[in-house]
Amino acid sequence: MPTVPLLLGRHQLLPDRPRLMGVLNVTPDSFSDGGLFLDAERALDHAWAMVEEGADLIDIGGESTRPGAEPVPLDEEIRRVIPLVETLAPRLPVAVSVDTSKPDVMAAAIAAGAGMINDVTGLRDPQSRAVLAAAPTVAVCIMHMQGEPRSMQKSPVYADVVSEIRAFFLERLACCDGDGIDRRRVVLDPGFGFGKTVAHNYVLLRDLPELVEIGQPVLVGLSRKSMLGRVTGRDTADRLSASVAAATLAAHAGAHLIRVHDVAATRDAMAIVQATRYGGAC
Ligand code: HH2
């Protein structure tokens, strides 16, 4: 497990307990909260509410990555995301992360005060790596995805999903080293639901400690995902218990950052993990 705090611009996160990343999607088409926060006032209120509920950082996304999603043009993504970052980053007591794969959005987000870039394409674009290399206090999440959102769920195939993702992470870390992105800024995410079958996702959740062993902070996003619906038979709006259960398993397996839509409900579960795994607060 990492021993140094994760630097996120003017904020930092100690690796002493599982941390919650609250999701704020300002999109019309996200799979579970699409259209809810398109109105700027509602988006701001929701960000503040998640902080009050215990979020340790807020992840703002302007482009849905659900299976089959269409890409969003650059100017539209900037229009959705950047004014919110400009308003929230200087005022919130926690860091703002921006969920984007476009280097121009990354650069604008960093200029507006974002402390973290969350790239579901794993910094595969050299221009994105150049943006991050020029921003040494900003953290970056490198997520694994097989294929791209439009087609990723068609027929994902792995010989061994855990060792292939582990190898991908090691290759990405070496690439960051080569491009001047300090490893201490890099968070790794196996990308639940991104080019994986339901069976792959559960193997990854079970064997998460093998990825935690790499020694980087690990982020997971399981909240409301279809892998939970497939096992429980529940629709997206009715996956709270399953989401909290999955977050608990991931945190107990050593994940440091848990990306969730339901901060309040997950926070108590994290306190139990903290007491069990990290010996905190008792
Ligand atoms: N999942 C989603 C989006 N971004 N980023 C990381 N690092 N890890 C994830 O698992 C992850 C992510 C999908 O969830 P959501 O944002 O709710 O939906 P959509 O992509 O439809 O906006």
Side-chain angles (χ1 to χ4, degrees):
M1 114 137 127
T3 50
V4 292
L6 179 67
L7 197 59
L8 308 124
R10 67 186 178 89
H11 301 275
Q12 57 176 33
L13 286 181
L14 293 168
D16 57 347
R17 62 186 168 90
R19 302 286 179 163
L20 293 181
M21 171 188 255
V23 179
L24 179 59
N25 284 319
V26 282
T27 60
D29 58 343
S30 286
F31 82 95
S32 81
D33 56 357
L36 279 183
F37 305 113
L38 274 178
D39 174 71
E41 203 70 17
R42 288 184 74 175
L44 293 172
D45 287 352
H46 190 54
W48 280 100
M50 287 194 289
V51 171
E52 272 159 33
E53 288 168 6
D56 297 289
L57 72 163
I58 301 294
D59 190 38
I60 302 177
E63 177 175 57
S64 172
T65 53
R66 74 187 153 70
E70 286 299 324
V72 172
L74 171 66
D75 54 349
E76 175 62 13
E77 195 178 332
I78 293 215
R79 194 191 63 76
R80 289 179 188 174
V81 170
I82 300 304
L84 272 180
V85 181
E86 281 168 348
T87 305
L88 289 171
R91 293 177 181 83
L92 283 184
V94 303
V96 169
S97 157
V98 172
D99 187 347
T100 185
S101 305
K102 295 188 182 73
D104 290 337
V105 179
M106 293 178 188
I110 291 168
M116 180 165 173
I117 298 296
N118 173 19
D119 182 6
V120 299
T121 64
L123 286 190
R124 272 179 269 209
D125 183 336
Q127 279 189 46
S128 301
R129 297 200 295 280
V131 169
L132 266 303
T137 62
V138 173
V140 58
C141 177
I142 289 185
M143 199 197 79
H144 175 273
M145 163 164 43
Q146 189 179 88
E148 39 106 30
R150 226 180 310 188
S151 57
M152 66 190 177
Q153 289 308 105
K154 282 198 178 132
S155 52
V157 178
Y158 300 84
D160 178 335
V161 67
V162 178
S163 55
E164 282 174 48
I165 290 177
R166 192 184 157 90
F168 168 80
F169 286 155
L170 297 179
E171 181 269 321
R172 293 284 78 202
L173 287 169
C175 185
C176 286
D177 291 344
D179 283 348
I181 301 169
D182 189 330
R183 283 175 183 231
R184 283 171 297 186
R185 305 158 56 192
V186 179
V187 174
L188 302 175
D189 181 343
F192 286 96
F194 286 86
K196 282 124 195 147
T197 63
V198 173
H200 292 139
N201 287 319
Y202 282 100
V203 169
L204 272 173
L205 184 53
R206 184 194 65 198
D207 294 343
L208 201 59
E210 292 183 35
L211 301 177
V212 171
E213 236 176 53
I214 296 173
Q216 298 296 131
V218 168
L219 186 153
V220 296
L222 293 146
S223 186
R224 303 183 185 171
K225 284 194 174 166
S226 62
M227 63 181 277
L228 309 176
R230 281 286 288 278
V231 169
T232 58
R234 304 271 182 199
D235 290 337
T236 315
D238 203 13
R239 293 179 186 160
L240 178 59
S241 305
S243 298
V244 173
T248 307
L249 288 170
H252 190 59
H256 306 94
L257 286 159
I258 319 286
R259 186 177 181 277
V260 296
H261 301 86
D262 303 288
V263 174
T266 317
R267 193 183 58 184
D268 285 357
M270 294 303 104
I272 305 302
V273 173
Q274 183 187 356
T276 309
R277 189 182 157 88
Y278 301 80
C282 37

